[in-house]
Amino acid sequence: MPELLAQVQLQDRSTSEASCIADNGFCPSWIADNLDRYVDPFVQHVFLTLASVAVGFAIAFALALVAHRHRWLIAPIVQVTGIMYTLPSIAVFFLLLPLTGRGNLTAIVALVAYSLLIIFRNVTAGLDNVPDETKDAGRGMGLTDRQLLWRVELPLALPEIMAGLRIATTTTVGLATLAFFAGAGGLGEQIFADINFKSNVVVAGGLAIVLAALLDGLILLAQRAITPWTRARTA
Amino acid sequence: MTPELAFLGQFGDAIQFIFVGETSREGTQVGGSQFLELTWEHVKLSGLSMAIACAITIPLGLWLGHIRRFSFLAISASNIGRAVPSLALIAFFVAYLGIGFTNLTVALVLLAIPPILTNTYVGVTQVDPETVDASRGMGMTEPEIVARVELPLALPLIFGGIKTSAVNVIATATIAPLAGVTTLGDPIINVSGYGDTGRLAAAIVVASLAVLTELLLSAAQRAATPRGLKLESDPSRRRRLPTRIGRAAST
């Protein structure tokens, strides 16, 4: 008997839902019932974002350290990464398809290419903004170039480096909504699947915005934690 | 495929598709001159959106920068703009306001505003206050100061914002067919009529369009930069300023 009751309830709810969906309204009950269909795309979206930003950061950071020693490299690196930044990711997904095929690899390569300029520029600016006196003082204390870089210049450049990371992360969350064109899924696939249905668009689009804000906030918290001296200065 | 392009493989096919085109399964002409129409629609949509965005945002940014108020609004505009995916923005418009050229243009204008607003505001506020004081001392009125001192000095940054927005708008105009506007995104969204070659061809044209726009705006940016600022940014002539504050003021 309880089974029957449950069935009746289910049917009852589905009729009111059906009218809401037929009117293409904003249907909270539909959202509550269908939230689980967004879990996998959301997880995939997080994966694409984190993988791309991590690889992009590793490459751009290494390039910035090399260019910090060999200043002439800055201009060509900015030019090459600038072109990658200019190319629309949606176009890059298709340009890469003949080379890397459909899937995560294509999506991540395109997203990494986009993030390089943002991170490289911020790391370079951060290192350049370290006052000369501070570096001189470090050298006067007998630090080698390597020690100066890791103990003085990079810690002082951290606010700018982290700012670059935040910009790259929020941008990548946004661009990853197009990654389904490369066959890599993500929240964009859900938006695209039923773009006229308000409830669907609000949930999938909203999740992308929440993810961007969440990751942005997490990086900001991490920055506060590892640069306690910046708080003392502004206070 | 012509033999000269054979070594490019699928890319050769795509290039041939752009310039010559082919007949689709439905018997209509795709590629070639039809691509010209798609490109024109793409440029028209992007250009109109950018023109409206500039007309609204630059005066607003100049004014906010001049009175040095609402900095939180002007700065966080681009942070918020970045967090809203362009696909989600277009989808909100399609689901709530419907498809069509006008609605899509409004969506693209909204997309274009934040970088221009932030850059214009920052460009004006970083003008040396002594320069503004000097202009006031010379008897310039406030509108004159904005138009003849702050605007020229802020131009390089304003152009930076316009470049960011323009490239973003061109990229987003690719998904315009979702909102019922037939741009270069048509072969990408409605792949059945064009095939994989047509889709790759569209990607090549969109990418070229973005790079071309970037180059044109960079040239315009250089042409519009006041000579004094050019001298300052030339590293061989720049006097190394000793402190962080001094250096910030010099940029």
Side-chain angles (χ1 to χ4, degrees), chain A residues 79-96 109-115 117 171 175 178, chain B residues 163-164 166-172 174 202-215:
Chain A
Q79 259 154 11
V80 172
T81 55
I83 294 169
M84 294 182 183
Y85 180 78
T86 304
L87 293 175
S89 339
I90 186 168
V92 175
F93 290 143
F94 292 109
L95 294 175
L96 285 175
V109 170
L111 295 175
V112 165
Y114 195 85
S115 69
L117 177 72
T171 313
L175 291 176
L178 299 171
Chain B
K163 268 197 293 196
T164 307
V167 170
N168 197 10
V169 164
I170 288 174
T172 307
T174 312
I204 293 173
V205 179
V206 169
S208 315
L209 202 59
V211 172
L212 195 69
T213 306
E214 161 88 19
L215 291 177

Side-chain angles (χ1 to χ4, degrees), chain A residues 86 94-95 128 171 192 198, chain B residues 11 82 95 167 178 200 247:
Chain A
T86 304
F94 292 109
L95 294 175
D128 283 351
T171 313
F192 185 74
K198 287 176 187 165
Chain B
F11 291 99
R82 249 196 311 273
V167 170
L178 292 178
L200 185 57
R247 205 176 293 167

Side-chain angles (χ1 to χ4, degrees), chain A residues 75-180:
Chain A
I77 292 176
V78 166
Q79 259 154 11
V80 172
T81 55
I83 294 169
M84 294 182 183
Y85 180 78
T86 304
L87 293 175
S89 339
I90 186 168
V92 175
F93 290 143
F94 292 109
L95 294 175
L96 285 175
L97 279 185
L99 308 172
T100 50
R102 281 174 67 82
N104 285 338
L105 180 65
T106 301
I108 291 174
V109 170
L111 295 175
V112 165
Y114 195 85
S115 69
L116 290 179
L117 177 72
I118 302 170
I119 300 170
F120 178 82
R121 221 168 27 188
N122 272 57
V123 177
T124 308
L127 290 174
D128 283 351
N129 281 344
V130 175
D132 288 341
E133 293 89 335
T134 315
K135 284 187 267 186
D136 285 345
R139 280 200 196 91
M141 287 168 65
L143 296 181
T144 63
D145 276 356
R146 179 187 290 256
Q147 287 171 327
L148 191 71
L149 179 68
W150 289 96
R151 295 192 195 168
V152 177
E153 294 178 281
L154 281 174
L156 287 178
L158 265 179
E160 267 126 326
I161 297 174
M162 297 300 267
L165 202 57
R166 287 171 63 196
I167 297 174
T169 306
T170 35
T171 313
T172 305
V173 171
L175 291 176
T177 54
L178 299 171
F180 70 93

